[in-house]
Amino acid sequence: MKTIEFSGKTGICKILLGRSFSELGDFCAVDRAVLVVDENVFRHHEKKLAGYPVIIVEPGEKNKCLATVDRIYERFLDLNVDRSSMVIGVGGGITCDITGFAASTFMRGIPFAFAPTTLLALVDASVGGKNGVNYHGYKNLVGTFNQPGLVLTDFSFLGTLPHEELKNGFAEVVKHALIGNGPLFDHLEEEWRAVTSLDYGKIEEVVSHSLAVKIGIVSLDETEKGERRKLNFGHTVGHAIEKATGYSHGEAVSVGMVAAAKLSELKGTLGTDDVNRIERLLRGFHLPTRLPEDKEAIIEALSRDKKREGDDIHFVLLEGIGRATIERITIAELREVLRDLC
Amino acid sequence: MKTIEFSGKTGICKILLGRSFSELGDFCAVDRAVLVVDENVFRHHEKKLAGYPVIIVEPGEKNKCLATVDRIYERFLDLNVDRSSMVIGVGGGITCDITGFAASTFMRGIPFAFAPTTLLALVDASVGGKNGVNYHGYKNLVGTFNQPGLVLTDFSFLGTLPHEELKNGFAEVVKHALIGNGPLFDHLEEEWRAVTSLDYGKIEEVVSHSLAVKIGIVSLDETEKGERRKLNFGHTVGHAIEKATGYSHGEAVSVGMVAAAKLSELKGTLGTDDVNRIERLLRGFHLPTRLPEDKEAIIEALSRDKKREGDDIHFVLLEGIGRATIERITIAELREVLRDLC
């Protein structure tokens, strides 16, 4: 049971690792708590969440929209939610993002917290203060930067997750190791079996180091002006793969990280041995490391990346395992590399 | 031509007084500017606003809603608005509030500025960082705290305002004097004729002192936890009058200020002479100082004030002209006083 405190522009965020959801009352005024819960999570964990007023949100990216936020505002009114309340998002990244946005804009901001129920949300969406919803097909186009006051991680939620969903989290943990913590990478090489079999002690250890990387980067650049771009490692190609194929986020990012590693190798900043180590670890987590067949569709999706600036894109490369660097490369160069990559 | 700089949690806000809208290019990258303009303002000042992409918003409180924000997001997409853009709200308080909210939530916050076109927006809505829209009949229920980067005040916009609209601004200027600047009150007693006849030199002087009061208070309490409540002087009773009668905001606040002054007199913190001075100055601005006939409707509206906490309400009283204090009083006590007030 570890506690990490992170002081952002918008306030202090306290992250409690390896707690039980039933301890919530030790950290906030539960008589004013309202839960916003993913429907699937509610079905699996109804008992654990009993006793609180609950707002159910339907799962899935298509429900991450303003209409869902509107329904949450309505329920806030029904439940007399105000600035003395504590809204707690219980679910994966989508639930956290929606809850954070609704709470950050209701009455110009009311207190909120997260109890992430997926490994991905635990190491990613629940920490860093980004929230929001999709708009007209653009991911997270509407949102704010605002830290939750509290993140309570109860690993027992992970027990009901399908392995496919866990893989999304493993990919992000590997990413954090690669961009900011070499020893964590070594550790994952030794412990990936225990981690994949959900040994909660190992999970806590890995999650706490993984979060430390994210928090370190976010602290330097809360509103994404430079340093924070490092968190995008593997995601430029990854997002294109996700759009163009049926790959899950974790699978797409895994391949994206291999592509970025190979580009780093080409640029001479990463050794071939390290590229091989990266591929091997990802395979340990049952994550793919090869580009799908239809490369042209991926290259096409890359050309439409909304983060590009003119013909350039900020691309995150590795300077060894544990150290990332941001370079502007041209879309043309990236295309070339992808065509050559197996 | 004065410039006031105000450094808030969410960034620096530069207020340029008595400029021409045509000077906009001196202060921001106009090639990336997009205007969000009140329909009436656009009709009266189309020439002045020529050359910019324009998003028109319909005037009136009923259009201050999420549907309008949704339409603005859509137009942002059409116009390729992004973090390198500068969105400028041109209009009264409603336009500023909507624009600020849309810009604060699009792409998790893009740069925005205001060119207030009413005296009320100039001394109130455009400064302080509150934005938002109404929701299900609740005023400003959805919004954020976020400072605009720039406020450019071009007094020539005031020339097309009906006198009734100007009165809303005069009431707010008197409020600022009463809660935080005694000498400004003395000055208004001498200069109200020049101010009401829109002598731009006098307006600039009065506006700059009025803004200084607001900025001083907001700096101490950006997110409305204590000190900022002083800005609510005259507004508790004022909002009730506005709800229960056909009074404009300025008229209602004017009567509300007299009620609060008389309550201060009853509590022994304000002399009778000062109460008389306040009434006299408000009458100079053609603002009412007597409660409307139907007191019971106002008392009923007061009982439903959303800012009350249980049976109490934070009420702003005066300790002399230029100094405000916040006291908790019971709704019952307030009712009593209103019944006795003429």
Side-chain angles (χ1 to χ4, degrees):
Chain A
M1 290 196 302
K2 230 181 167 170
T3 301
I4 306 176
E5 273 206 21
F6 160 50
S7 176
K9 267 187 219 164
T10 55
I12 288 169
C13 173
K14 198 179 233 180
I15 304 166
L16 308 163
L17 292 177
R19 301 285 180 155
S20 161
F21 190 80
S22 61
E23 294 174 63
L24 193 60
D26 299 346
F27 309 103
C28 67
V30 282
D31 56 320
R32 296 292 295 142
V34 168
L35 312 185
V36 180
V37 189
D38 173 287
E39 197 176 30
N40 286 334
V41 171
F42 190 72
R43 213 176 39 243
H44 283 111
H45 302 278
E46 197 172 344
K47 265 192 199 151
K48 203 182 294 202
L49 309 173
Y52 294 101
V54 165
I55 301 172
I56 301 284
V57 291
E58 288 177 54
E61 200 70 45
K62 73 173 191 301
N63 293 305
K64 191 179 177 183
C65 60
L66 287 173
T68 300
V69 175
D70 198 341
R71 275 196 296 278
I72 294 174
Y73 290 150
E74 275 180 3
R75 295 279 290 132
F76 280 173
L77 281 178
D78 291 345
L79 296 166
N80 286 316
V81 166
D82 63 25
R83 289 187 188 160
S84 71
S85 303
M86 173 58 94
V87 175
I88 301 163
V90 185
I94 292 175
T95 308
C96 292
D97 282 2
I98 297 174
T99 305
F101 181 60
S104 297
T105 50
F106 190 77
M107 300 183 102
R108 298 201 183 92
I110 56 175
F112 67 103
F114 296 139
T117 62
T118 69
L119 186 59
L120 179 59
L122 225 142
V123 295
D124 193 19
S126 66
V127 172
K130 278 188 181 184
N131 61 49
V133 294
N134 305 328
Y135 187 81
H136 287 221
Y138 293 87
K139 282 187 85 162
N140 305 318
L141 193 79
V142 171
T144 68
F145 289 101
N146 195 17
Q147 307 292 340
L150 185 77
V151 179
L152 184 143
T153 71
D154 177 340
F155 296 129
S156 74
F157 281 116
L158 303 181
T160 55
L161 281 186
H163 185 72
E164 284 305 306
E165 174 54 47
L166 283 168
K167 280 160 64 177
N168 292 323
F170 297 144
E172 219 64 27
V173 168
V174 172
K175 183 195 81 175
H176 286 152
L178 285 173
I179 63 173
N181 189 337
L184 173 59
F185 189 90
D186 304 342
H187 184 74
L188 287 169
E189 286 184 317
E190 282 160 32
E191 299 287 4
W192 62 267
R193 276 192 189 80
V195 171
T196 48
S197 65
L198 291 188
D199 173 327
Y200 291 156
K202 299 285 180 205
I203 292 264
E204 179 170 335
E205 206 178 346
V206 160
V207 162
S208 93
H209 289 296
S210 180
L211 280 178
V213 171
K214 174 149 189 187
I215 290 167
I217 290 173
V218 170
S219 304
L220 289 172
D221 175 24
E222 212 167 328
T223 51
E224 200 163 35
K225 294 192 165 47
E227 185 75 9
R228 192 162 183 159
R229 290 196 177 112
K230 287 185 181 170
L231 293 171
N232 221 28
F233 177 69
H235 282 61
T236 306
V237 174
H239 280 151
I241 295 174
E242 216 179 335
K243 258 188 208 167
T245 70
Y247 277 41
S248 71
H249 182 72
E251 290 170 338
V253 167
S254 176
V255 179
M257 289 193 289
V258 174
K262 288 191 172 171
L263 186 53
S264 309
E265 186 189 3
L266 273 175
K267 298 237 168 201
T269 58
L270 190 73
T272 309
D273 279 1
D274 284 340
V275 177
N276 292 337
R277 284 177 67 198
I278 294 170
E279 293 197 53
R280 208 177 308 127
L281 179 61
L282 290 169
R283 281 199 300 271
F285 286 119
H286 303 287
L287 285 161
T289 56
R290 292 282 171 270
L291 278 181
E293 285 293 300
D294 189 1
K295 283 188 198 175
E296 289 308 315
I298 297 163
I299 288 165
E300 173 58 24
L302 253 179
S303 314
R304 290 195 313 264
D305 191 300
K306 76 178 147 90
K307 284 189 180 161
R308 76 192 173 91
E309 298 180 15
D311 290 333
D312 288 355
I313 201 154
H314 290 277
F315 201 85
V316 189
L317 296 169
L318 294 182
E319 289 182 327
I321 284 174
R323 209 160 69 244
T325 177
I326 301 160
E327 271 196 36
R328 283 176 87 104
I329 67 170
T330 64
I331 299 278
E333 188 177 0
L334 193 54
R335 254 185 228 152
E336 198 80 8
V337 172
L338 283 184
R339 287 211 174 93
D340 291 345
L341 273 186
C342 53
Chain B
M1 289 196 302
K2 230 180 165 172
T3 300
I4 306 176
E5 274 205 19
F6 159 52
S7 177
K9 266 188 218 164
T10 55
I12 288 169
C13 173
K14 198 179 235 179
I15 303 166
L16 308 163
L17 291 178
R19 300 285 181 156
S20 162
F21 190 79
S22 61
E23 294 174 63
L24 193 62
D26 299 346
F27 308 102
C28 67
V30 283
D31 56 320
R32 295 292 295 141
V34 169
L35 312 185
V36 180
V37 189
D38 174 287
E39 197 176 31
N40 287 334
V41 172
F42 190 72
R43 212 175 41 241
H44 283 111
H45 302 279
E46 196 172 343
K47 265 191 198 152
K48 201 180 295 201
L49 309 173
Y52 294 100
V54 165
I55 301 173
I56 301 282
V57 291
E58 288 177 55
E61 200 70 44
K62 71 173 193 301
N63 294 306
K64 190 177 177 184
C65 60
L66 287 173
T68 301
V69 175
D70 198 341
R71 275 195 298 277
I72 294 175
Y73 290 151
E74 275 180 2
R75 295 280 291 132
F76 280 172
L77 281 178
D78 291 345
L79 295 166
N80 286 316
V81 166
D82 63 24
R83 288 187 190 160
S84 71
S85 303
M86 173 59 91
V87 175
I88 301 164
V90 185
I94 292 175
T95 308
C96 291
D97 282 3
I98 297 173
T99 305
F101 181 60
S104 297
T105 50
F106 191 77
M107 301 183 101
R108 298 202 184 92
I110 56 175
F112 67 102
F114 296 140
T117 61
T118 68
L119 185 60
L120 179 60
L122 225 143
V123 295
D124 192 20
S126 66
V127 172
K130 279 187 179 183
N131 61 49
V133 294
N134 306 328
Y135 187 80
H136 287 221
Y138 294 87
K139 282 188 84 163
N140 305 316
L141 194 79
V142 171
T144 68
F145 289 100
N146 194 17
Q147 306 293 341
L150 185 76
V151 179
L152 185 142
T153 70
D154 177 338
F155 296 128
S156 74
F157 282 117
L158 304 182
T160 54
L161 281 186
H163 185 73
E164 285 304 305
E165 174 54 45
L166 284 168
K167 281 160 64 178
N168 292 323
F170 297 145
E172 220 64 27
V173 168
V174 173
K175 183 194 81 177
H176 286 152
L178 285 174
I179 63 173
N181 189 337
L184 174 58
F185 189 88
D186 304 343
H187 184 74
L188 287 168
E189 287 185 315
E190 281 160 33
E191 299 286 5
W192 62 267
R193 276 193 188 80
V195 171
T196 48
S197 64
L198 291 186
D199 172 328
Y200 292 156
K202 299 287 179 201
I203 292 264
E204 178 171 336
E205 206 179 345
V206 160
V207 162
S208 92
H209 289 295
S210 180
L211 280 177
V213 171
K214 174 149 191 187
I215 290 167
I217 289 173
V218 169
S219 305
L220 290 172
D221 175 25
E222 213 166 328
T223 50
E224 202 165 35
K225 295 193 164 45
E227 186 74 9
R228 192 162 183 159
R229 291 196 178 113
K230 288 185 180 170
L231 293 170
N232 221 28
F233 177 69
H235 282 62
T236 307
V237 174
H239 280 150
I241 295 174
E242 217 178 334
K243 259 189 208 167
T245 70
Y247 277 42
S248 72
H249 182 72
E251 289 170 337
V253 167
S254 176
V255 179
M257 290 193 288
V258 174
K262 288 192 172 172
L263 186 53
S264 310
E265 186 190 3
L266 273 175
K267 298 236 169 202
T269 59
L270 190 72
T272 309
D273 279 1
D274 284 341
V275 176
N276 292 336
R277 284 175 67 197
I278 295 170
E279 292 198 53
R280 209 176 308 128
L281 180 60
L282 291 169
R283 282 199 301 268
F285 285 120
H286 303 287
L287 286 161
T289 56
R290 292 282 171 270
L291 279 181
E293 285 292 300
D294 190 1
K295 284 189 197 177
E296 289 308 315
I298 297 163
I299 289 166
E300 174 58 28
L302 254 178
S303 313
R304 291 195 312 264
D305 190 299
K306 75 178 148 91
K307 284 190 180 160
R308 75 193 174 93
E309 298 180 12
D311 289 332
D312 287 356
I313 200 153
H314 290 277
F315 200 86
V316 190
L317 296 170
L318 294 182
E319 290 181 326
I321 284 175
R323 207 161 70 243
T325 177
I326 301 161
E327 270 196 37
R328 283 176 88 103
I329 67 169
T330 64
I331 299 278
E333 188 178 359
L334 192 54
R335 252 184 230 154
E336 197 81 10
V337 172
L338 283 183
R339 287 212 173 92
D340 290 345
L341 273 186
C342 52

